[in-house]
Amino acid sequence: MRFGIVGVVATLIQYGVYYLLLPYMDERIALTIGYIVSFCCNYVMTTRFTFKVKASPKNAGGFALSHFINWSLQVVSLSFFIWLGVPKEWAPIPMYMVCVPVNFLLVRFFVKR
């Protein structure tokens, strides 16, 4: 439940930044900027609220690695859905459907271990 709340907040932040920047730049750059903003908020919420662990260099490194993998998957899947014909404004929705479950498993592994 806590992961879901944090995930929704982080996703809304990322999508909001993406949507606002999309008219001014390439969709992959807009996605990346949104991801960076969301990442910062997400780490604090994940350690304090989702998994209730202390922030540390070790779990920050694992969190960053898992999110680098997730960001890479997001860029690839966003490009794929746009290539399939999904409008740029809506392509993040199926992208999130693919990436969120993968991200949960990665973050849980790196933060909780």
Side-chain angles (χ1 to χ4, degrees):
M1 184 66 145
R2 290 184 304 245
F3 176 81
I5 293 167
V6 169
V8 167
V9 170
T11 301
L12 289 173
I13 290 169
Q14 182 186 2
Y15 184 73
V17 172
Y18 169 82
Y19 193 82
L20 291 172
L21 295 177
L22 192 56
Y24 307 105
M25 61 189 65
D26 180 80
E27 63 274 359
R28 290 169 299 243
I29 296 171
L31 181 78
T32 299
I33 293 170
Y35 199 91
I36 291 167
V37 172
S38 174
F39 173 85
C40 295
C41 298
N42 196 346
Y43 178 68
V44 172
M45 292 186 294
T46 296
T47 55
R48 291 185 180 174
F49 179 67
T50 302
F51 296 117
K52 297 185 180 187
V53 297
K54 281 189 168 185
S56 71
K58 184 177 178 181
N59 67 25
F63 190 81
L65 177 60
S66 69
H67 274 273
F68 176 76
I69 294 167
N70 185 51
W71 168 80
S72 300
L73 181 60
Q74 283 193 10
V75 171
V76 169
S77 61
L78 178 76
S79 298
F80 176 71
F81 288 117
I82 291 171
W83 178 79
L84 285 177
V86 178
K88 292 177 184 180
E89 296 80 12
W90 298 106
I93 294 171
M95 175 201 74
Y96 290 132
M97 294 169 75
V98 170
C99 296
V100 166
V102 172
N103 188 49
F104 172 75
L105 295 174
L106 290 170
V107 169
R108 181 169 172 75
F109 174 76
F110 284 115
V111 173
K112 279 289 269 194
R113 88 177 159 158

